[in-house]
Amino acid sequence: MSTSHPRRNAVAFALITTAALALTACGSGTPATAPAGAAGKDGAAQGALPTEDVVAGVRKNEAAAKLLPADVRERGSFTLAASVGSPPSSAYLPDGRTVVGLDADFAAAVAKALGLEVKREVAGFEAILPALGSGKYDVGTGNFGVTEERRKTIDFVTYVNDGQGFAARADSALAAVTDLSQLCGLKVATGAGTTFERTLEQNKGRCAAAGKPAYEVNVYNEPGAVWMSLQQGRSDVVMSTINGIRYAVTQQPGTKFLNEYRRLDVGFAFKKGTPLAPAFQAAVNGLKADGTYDRILRKWGVSASAIPASRISPPEIPAPKK
């Protein structure tokens, strides 16, 4: 993915997913609606990406802006590397250029609160964290979960809580995956360079310990390819973000959401030791205080992902023991 064109990939994702959804005549071409149980109540109607501007009224947070480094205040902007994957975190509108989603709204709201301009560049998911370390960008978004491994080289400012979940075809005998040994003998599709891939690879030995055949991890660079593998029977299970799966199954015929496996805090990502973190944290907490935070979550149908307060690089939420 780091060697391919992000916008072209997103268009390809839309085409792949459109093919998978052809029988339902879904107009959006992406798994982009309110989560199961939320359509018509939270976020957009089924089949459409919400376009309501919920950050237009954000005013500058003078206290937060004072925490910015002098050089950032002087240039009046920050560079943002954004991974565009699938709703509700991030997606393209049908024009193939406009990036929308939870990440985009939070970035825009924080920028307004800090009195800064966002200079966004779309980048591959697995390329963003290394690029932050090299100083190429100031901040990255891509539904980056806070893990102990990442905290060694990356600072985070949290804004939501998401995590890891599973989906399967509707005819699957699986009702939930509460123990990874339930995956033994199955083929699991997931995204490259993600916490999902890491979790699956680190726990493969559980099958041998249980005297069962190992599960196979099928890794893809594009979200559309993950779901296509499930639809075509090349994979039995999908492991991805909780919110992303809830969106996707409302658009993917013959699929079902299985369960949440674990929760992770999600945040803006920065180079380790960044002086930007306190200002971003204060800005997010200011958005919680003025109601913008809740409006963004409601727009994308993910109110259950609210956090009590933004934190800087909190400890990783422990994984299930099973």
Side-chain angles (χ1 to χ4, degrees):
M1 187 168 179
S2 60
T3 59
S4 54
H5 192 287
R7 192 165 118 196
R8 193 178 304 124
N9 287 344
V11 175
F13 160 47
L15 293 173
I16 290 170
T17 312
T18 299
L21 304 179
L23 294 178
T24 66
C26 174
S28 68
T30 61
T33 71
K41 177 177 65 176
D42 249 356
Q46 185 169 355
L49 285 166
T51 56
E52 176 191 3
D53 188 346
V54 293
V55 305
V58 175
R59 296 182 178 180
K60 186 175 181 180
N61 182 331
E62 296 292 349
K66 287 181 180 179
L67 298 174
L68 288 167
D71 63 322
V72 176
R73 285 201 305 271
E74 184 176 343
R75 73 174 185 253
S77 64
F78 63 88
T79 55
L80 171 72
S83 170
V84 182
S86 58
S89 292
S90 59
Y92 283 103
L93 288 181
D95 63 12
R97 296 184 301 274
T98 307
V99 178
V100 297
L102 193 68
D103 292 344
D105 279 346
F106 271 113
V110 166
K112 287 177 71 81
L114 294 177
L116 299 175
E117 176 189 357
V118 183
K119 293 187 176 180
R120 179 191 290 114
E121 181 176 321
V122 173
F125 176 87
E126 70 275 22
I128 292 178
L129 298 186
L132 293 173
S134 70
K136 184 176 181 179
Y137 306 107
D138 295 316
V139 58
T141 58
N143 203 343
F144 289 112
V146 180
T147 67
E148 294 306 314
E149 184 64 28
R150 286 175 175 169
R151 290 204 314 154
K152 294 176 183 178
T153 57
I154 297 294
D155 280 340
F156 293 92
V157 171
T158 60
Y159 55 94
V160 291
N161 177 273
D162 194 350
Q164 303 177 339
F166 289 98
R169 289 186 299 278
D171 59 1
S172 172
L174 287 170
V177 179
T178 56
D179 186 323
L180 294 179
S181 64
Q182 291 172 262
L183 300 174
C184 297
L186 301 179
K187 297 177 181 179
V188 187
T190 196
T194 60
T195 61
F196 322 116
E197 181 185 9
R198 186 191 69 168
T199 295
L200 292 167
E201 292 293 347
Q202 288 180 340
N203 289 278
K204 272 187 171 180
R206 294 187 183 192
C207 295
K212 299 178 180 179
Y215 53 76
E216 179 181 314
V217 183
N218 295 333
V219 179
Y220 299 93
N221 286 327
E222 296 299 326
V226 172
W227 288 97
M228 185 64 76
S229 75
L230 183 70
Q231 291 279 11
Q232 295 181 341
R234 291 181 284 110
S235 297
D236 304 297
V237 182
V238 164
M239 187 178 189
S240 190
T241 65
I242 294 167
N243 291 336
I245 288 179
R246 287 190 184 279
Y247 262 72
V249 298
T250 66
Q251 297 300 288
Q252 301 279 357
T255 63
K256 62 182 180 180
F257 178 79
L258 295 181
N259 63 294
E260 296 183 8
Y261 178 67
R262 68 174 297 196
R263 283 274 172 175
L264 284 172
D265 289 317
V266 171
F268 294 106
F270 305 83
K271 179 180 180 179
K272 190 73 175 176
T274 178
L276 289 170
F280 271 68
Q281 180 193 29
V284 173
N285 286 330
L287 296 174
K288 287 188 67 69
D290 70 16
T292 302
Y293 183 91
D294 289 334
R295 286 192 290 274
I296 293 174
L297 295 190
R298 284 196 301 270
K299 172 183 175 179
W300 295 101
V302 293
S303 294
S305 283
I307 55 176
S310 176
R311 295 191 290 169
I312 297 175
S313 298
E316 178 180 351
I317 297 173
K321 293 183 179 180
K322 293 184 177 182

